[in-house]
């Protein structure tokens, strides 16, 4: 055999070389394999893993649940919804009216009360507001009622004083302007007969009472119609005409207050409510004098307020008032306002109606929006420069206007003085007309009708004067009592609606916290609502207003709780973004180590 035949290919020679070393390679791998783990080490590793999981489950998880749990105080949701739906209490406004008849026999006076009450019941078609007439000197019943009323705080809505007057054709009735007394005059031959079922005197009294309390009934009806929880609706209360209850087409007086509000009355009440402020126990009045020049430098505002404004504030017994004054010189018009134009025919300066809203220079004039806890009423007296007088509103020629829910503005065009076109001092007499106009504006902002005297004195000063209620008979104390009951109804339904909104919010968002302060506020609100309802039934208007105000305050405080409102805007999905970066690096090692321990124990158990 030749040498070429004995030579192997390189690849085959390499395989032969590897084959010769195979036993040695296996021995080497057997030597490098790690030794088997001792049972003590396996138990120690398993103990460490289970210790970590024990701490996580028994300590970490409870602490996490305790620190991140949402506390929800118990709320009487069904009771709250009942108040919101008007099921817990149906408001009634009984008015106690006393009849004084010193010129009639006791039996005749009793018969007059019965016939007048029957006439009132026939005229009344709204059971929530009803008049209850009683004899003032009824020894057995009324005297006890008056004693109880004095103890409980109840007051008579009106007193009727009968007087005989000779040479009188028909009975007449006049309301005293400064008291809640109605004077009724009748001829001696018009005294009611016990045998008759009706009389002209009873019809006159009943018709006059309906006329006096028509505004109050309309205001309460409007509030009931515009409140969802009252059981009424606006459509059912805006009928076109009045229908007496005893007519065949009259509706059931216990169903809905239909045919009480006409569209015109409803629109007028809506305008009055839109421009008036919400009731508050304290109001702050700010009276400011603004002028674009350096004159005037002083004014008799203290004596003018004491004479023309303070008596009205003292008579408004359901609220308190604080007053401050200021003088601001070099007060220029707002840049966005169109400059006044000169009227050559009348030699006056005028600005348009559409420029009234931009008259105030809010950027430079120091008019704070609110001072103290109560709302602020701003009354601004503007004295134009001498080269721009007299300054009037175009077309109407008025010099003042009302800004709804803010205040009033009056332009004073003082007569020129000797040596100076502008007086350096505004006297007491110069401030009489502006202060009377401010009184008119104040009543409008408080929701009260304006007395005829104020309306006539300022009829040419404001476009809002025509919307005020013009009454032949006007009694400020009676209007104040009327406004007290209207405010009570408004606050009552406002707080009831807030309770319903809070109950709906709590049911729809189960993840928001409800602190104990909210539960306490709900409890206090329900308590004051119940007290309001009871006080109205007893005729205690002042007490009912106070409870209604407290109910509205507590309900607003509970609904706008800071810790609860913040969670409304933090949905549940946001928690994933918060917890995943925190728990991921900790949870993955714990889970994998536990999996390895369990897998190792299972392998040794089965194999």
């Amino acid at each position: 055999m030749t040498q070429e035949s004995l030579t192997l290919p390189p690849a085959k020679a390499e395989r032969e070389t590897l084959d010769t070393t195979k036993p040695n390679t296996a021995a080497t791998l057997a030597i490098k394999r790690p030794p088997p783990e001792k049972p003590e080490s396996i138990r120690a590793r398993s103990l460490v893993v289970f210790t970590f999981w024990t701490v996580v489950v028994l300590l970490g998880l409870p602490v996490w649940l305790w620190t991140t749990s949402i506390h929800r105080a118990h709320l009487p949701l069904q009771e709250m919804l009942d108040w919101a739906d008007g099921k817990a209490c149906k408001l009634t406004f009984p008015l106690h009216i006393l009849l004084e008849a010193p010129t009639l026999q006791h039996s005749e006076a009793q018969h007059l009360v019965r016939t007048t009450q029957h006439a009132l019941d026939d005229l009344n078609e709204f059971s929530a507001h009803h008049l209850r007439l009683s004899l003032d000197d009824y020894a057995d019943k009324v005297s006890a009622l008056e004693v109880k009323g004095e103890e409980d705080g109840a007051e008579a809505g009106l007193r009727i004083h009968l007087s005989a007057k000779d040479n009188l054709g028909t009975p007449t009735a006049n309301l005293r302007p400064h008291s809640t007394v109605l004077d009724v005059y009748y001829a001696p031959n018009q005294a009611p007969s016990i045998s008759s079922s009706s009389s002209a005197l009873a019809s006159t009294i009943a018709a006059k009472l309906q006329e006096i309390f028509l505004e109050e009934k309309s205001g309460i009806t409007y509030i009931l119609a515009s409140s969802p929880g009252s059981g009424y609706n606006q459509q059912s209360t805006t009928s076109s005409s009045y229908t007496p209850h005893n007519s065949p087409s009259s509706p059931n007086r216990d169903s809905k207050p239909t045919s009480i509000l006409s569209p015109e009355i409803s629109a007028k009440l809506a305008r009055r409510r839109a421009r008036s402020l919400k009731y508050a126990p304290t109001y702050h009045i700010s009276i400011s004098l603004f002028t674009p020049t350096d004159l005037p430098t002083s004014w008799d505002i203290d004596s003018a307020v004491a004479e023309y404004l303070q008596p009205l504030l003292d008579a408004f017994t359901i609220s308190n008032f604080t007053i401050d004054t200021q003088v601001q010189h070099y007060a220029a018009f707002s840049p966005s306002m169109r400059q006044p134009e000169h009227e050559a025919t009348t030699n006056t300066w005028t600005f348009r109606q559409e420029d009234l809203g931009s008259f105030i220079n809010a950027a430079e004039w120091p008019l704070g929006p609110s001072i103290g806890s109560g709302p602020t009423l701003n009354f601004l007296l503007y004295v134009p420069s001498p080269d721009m007088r007299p300054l009037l509103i175009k077309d109407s020629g008025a010099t003042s206007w009302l800004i709804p829910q803010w205040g009033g503005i009056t332009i004073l065009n003082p007569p020129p003085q000797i040596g100076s076109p502008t007086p350096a001092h505004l006297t007491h007499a110069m401030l009489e007309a502006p202060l009377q106009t401010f009184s008119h504006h104040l009543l409008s902002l408080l929701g009260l009708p304006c007395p005829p005297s104020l309306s006539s004195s300022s009829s040419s000063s404001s476009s809002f004067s025509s919307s005020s209620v013009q009454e032949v008979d006007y009694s400020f104390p009676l209007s104040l009592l009327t406004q007290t009951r209207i405010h009570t109804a408004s606050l009552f339904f406002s707080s009831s609606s807030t309770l319903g909104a809070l109950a709906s919010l709590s049911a729809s968002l189960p993840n928001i916290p409800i602190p104990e302060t909210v539960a306490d506020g709900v409890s206090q609100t329900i308590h004051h609502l119940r007290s309001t309802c009871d006080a109205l039934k007893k005729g205690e208007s002042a007490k009912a207003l106070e409870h209604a105000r407290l109910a509205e305050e507590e309900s607003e405080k509970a609904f706008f709780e800071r810790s609860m409102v913040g969670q409304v805007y933090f949905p549940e999905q946001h928690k994933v973004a918060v917890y995943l970066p925190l728990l991921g690096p900790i949870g993955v090692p714990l889970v994998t180590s536990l999996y390895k321990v369990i897998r190792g124990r299972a392998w040794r158990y089965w194999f």
Side-chain angles (χ1 to χ4, degrees):
M1 180 179 296
T2 63
Q3 187 175 359
E4 289 79 1
S5 63
L6 293 175
T7 303
L8 297 175
K12 187 174 181 180
E14 185 178 355
R15 286 197 298 268
E16 292 294 338
T17 303
L18 291 175
D19 292 339
T20 58
T21 60
K22 182 180 289 186
N24 296 332
T25 303
T28 303
L29 292 175
I31 295 173
K32 290 183 178 180
R33 183 177 298 172
E37 190 175 7
K38 297 181 180 180
E40 293 81 2
S41 299
I42 296 176
R43 286 195 299 269
R45 187 174 68 252
S46 301
L47 182 62
V48 170
V49 172
F50 283 113
T51 301
F52 272 101
W53 274 101
T54 302
V55 173
V56 170
V57 173
L58 298 182
L59 181 62
L61 189 60
V63 171
W64 175 73
L65 292 176
W66 178 68
T67 55
T68 60
S69 62
I70 298 175
H71 176 69
R72 291 175 62 88
H74 173 71
L75 296 180
L77 299 181
Q78 187 58 46
E79 187 177 3
M80 295 165 65
L81 292 176
D82 290 342
W83 281 102
D85 296 336
K87 299 177 181 178
C89 173
K90 184 178 180 181
L91 282 188
T92 58
F93 300 86
L95 299 183
H96 183 211
I97 300 176
L98 297 178
L99 177 65
E100 301 174 358
T103 57
L104 294 179
Q105 298 293 329
H106 189 271
S107 58
E108 294 177 344
Q110 286 182 326
H111 179 69
L112 179 61
V113 168
R114 287 192 297 267
T115 55
T116 306
Q117 184 65 60
H118 181 70
L120 288 173
D121 294 339
D122 288 341
L123 292 174
N124 184 30
E125 55 184 12
F126 182 28
S127 61
H129 185 278
H130 52 274
L131 307 179
R132 289 293 174 260
L133 191 62
S134 61
L135 195 59
D136 191 26
D137 57 350
Y138 197 94
D140 298 329
K141 183 178 180 179
V142 177
S143 296
L145 180 63
E146 289 180 351
V147 173
K148 184 177 183 299
E150 291 175 358
E151 296 175 353
D152 295 342
E155 68 274 356
L158 184 67
R159 287 181 176 270
I160 302 175
H161 182 75
L162 289 181
S163 300
K165 191 175 183 181
D166 296 332
N167 301 325
L168 193 63
T170 58
T172 60
N174 298 319
L175 191 62
R176 297 182 186 178
H178 303 295
S179 65
T180 58
V181 177
L182 177 65
D183 292 317
V184 178
Y185 301 97
Y186 68 96
N189 58 355
Q190 295 172 348
S193 175
I194 299 179
S195 59
S196 62
S197 59
S198 63
S199 64
L201 183 58
S203 301
T204 301
I205 296 175
K208 189 63 177 181
L209 291 177
Q210 285 294 112
E211 177 187 346
I212 290 174
F213 293 101
L214 178 61
E215 180 186 354
E216 176 177 344
K217 185 181 297 184
S218 300
I220 293 175
T221 304
Y222 180 81
I223 293 176
L224 293 177
S226 58
S227 301
S230 63
Y232 303 102
N233 55 75
Q234 182 63 22
Q235 183 178 2
S236 65
T237 56
T238 56
S239 60
S240 59
S241 61
Y242 172 80
T243 305
H245 176 72
N246 55 1
S247 65
S249 61
S250 64
N252 184 359
R253 76 177 73 177
D254 294 329
S255 58
K256 293 179 180 180
T258 56
S259 29
I260 293 181
L261 294 184
S262 64
E264 293 78 10
I265 295 179
S266 180
K268 184 174 67 174
L269 291 174
R271 290 194 301 268
R272 178 184 296 181
R273 191 175 185 183
R275 70 170 177 262
S276 61
L277 287 168
K278 189 177 182 180
Y279 170 76
T282 302
Y283 295 95
H284 182 76
I285 297 177
S286 177
I287 305 177
S288 305
L289 172 63
F290 284 81
T291 176
T293 63
D294 59 341
L295 296 177
T297 58
S298 61
W299 56 337
D300 291 335
I301 188 61
D302 293 335
S303 60
V305 167
E307 181 174 354
Y308 303 119
L309 191 60
Q310 193 61 45
L312 178 62
L313 302 181
D314 294 338
F316 201 87
T317 55
I318 61 176
S319 296
N320 297 321
F321 296 89
T322 60
I323 302 176
D324 71 23
T325 62
Q326 65 172 337
V327 178
Q328 182 72 21
H329 296 104
Y330 303 104
F333 287 127
S334 173
S336 61
M337 177 182 171
R338 192 179 334 182
Q339 293 299 315
E341 301 173 353
H342 183 259
E343 297 285 345
T345 56
T346 58
N347 195 23
T348 59
W349 291 82
T350 61
F351 55 94
R352 303 175 184 271
Q353 290 276 353
E354 53 267 24
D355 294 331
L356 297 181
S358 58
F359 182 85
I360 297 177
N361 190 351
E364 298 181 6
W365 294 5
L367 295 171
S370 180
I371 300 176
S373 58
T376 299
L377 303 173
N378 296 278
F379 297 110
L380 193 151
L381 181 62
Y382 185 81
V383 180
S385 59
D387 57 349
M388 202 175 290
R389 292 185 201 156
L391 183 61
L392 309 173
I393 300 176
K394 193 172 184 178
D395 298 331
S396 65
T399 58
S400 68
W401 63 97
L402 181 70
I403 301 179
Q405 300 185 6
W406 186 85
I409 300 177
T410 297
I411 298 175
L412 178 62
N413 297 298
Q417 303 293 318
I418 299 176
S420 174
T422 302
H425 178 76
L426 296 182
T427 62
H428 183 95
M430 294 179 182
L431 297 175
E432 178 180 0
L435 264 295
Q436 289 184 353
T437 302
F438 289 157
S439 300
H440 177 205
H441 291 168
L442 177 62
L443 291 177
S444 298
L445 292 170
L446 297 178
L448 285 170
C450 185
S453 58
L454 286 179
S455 297
S456 59
S457 63
S458 59
S459 59
S460 62
S461 62
S462 175
S463 59
F464 289 90
S465 299
S466 58
S467 62
S468 302
V469 177
Q470 304 293 332
E471 299 183 19
V472 177
D473 288 340
Y474 181 88
S475 171
F476 183 82
L478 190 61
S479 296
L480 189 60
L481 290 177
T482 294
Q483 197 64 20
T484 299
R485 289 183 281 268
I486 291 177
H487 280 319
T488 301
S490 179
L491 294 174
F492 180 89
F493 288 117
S494 175
S495 55
S496 299
S497 177
T498 304
L499 280 185
L502 180 59
S504 301
L505 179 67
S506 175
S508 61
L509 298 176
N511 295 321
I512 64 172
I514 301 179
E516 293 295 335
T517 55
V518 174
D520 295 339
V522 170
S523 177
Q524 290 295 323
T525 301
I526 294 176
H527 166 70
H528 289 300
L529 287 177
R530 190 175 291 111
S531 300
T532 301
C533 192
D534 295 339
L536 283 178
K537 291 179 180 179
K538 297 177 182 179
E540 303 172 358
S541 301
K543 185 177 180 181
L545 177 62
E546 180 63 19
H547 282 294
R549 182 189 65 81
L550 293 175
E552 201 266 346
E553 181 180 335
E554 291 291 340
S555 63
E556 293 288 334
K557 188 185 302 181
F559 186 82
F560 293 104
E561 172 65 32
R562 288 182 297 176
S563 60
M564 184 177 64
V565 174
Q567 291 295 326
V568 175
Y569 306 99
F570 191 81
E572 194 72 15
Q573 292 80 359
H574 288 186
K575 294 182 179 179
V576 178
V578 174
Y579 289 128
L580 190 59
L582 177 65
L583 300 180
I586 300 176
V588 171
L590 289 175
V591 172
T592 54
S593 60
L594 181 63
Y595 171 74
K596 291 179 180 180
V597 170
I598 295 176
R599 187 185 65 174
R601 287 181 175 272
W603 181 269
R604 286 190 296 271
Y605 177 78
W606 291 105
F607 300 100

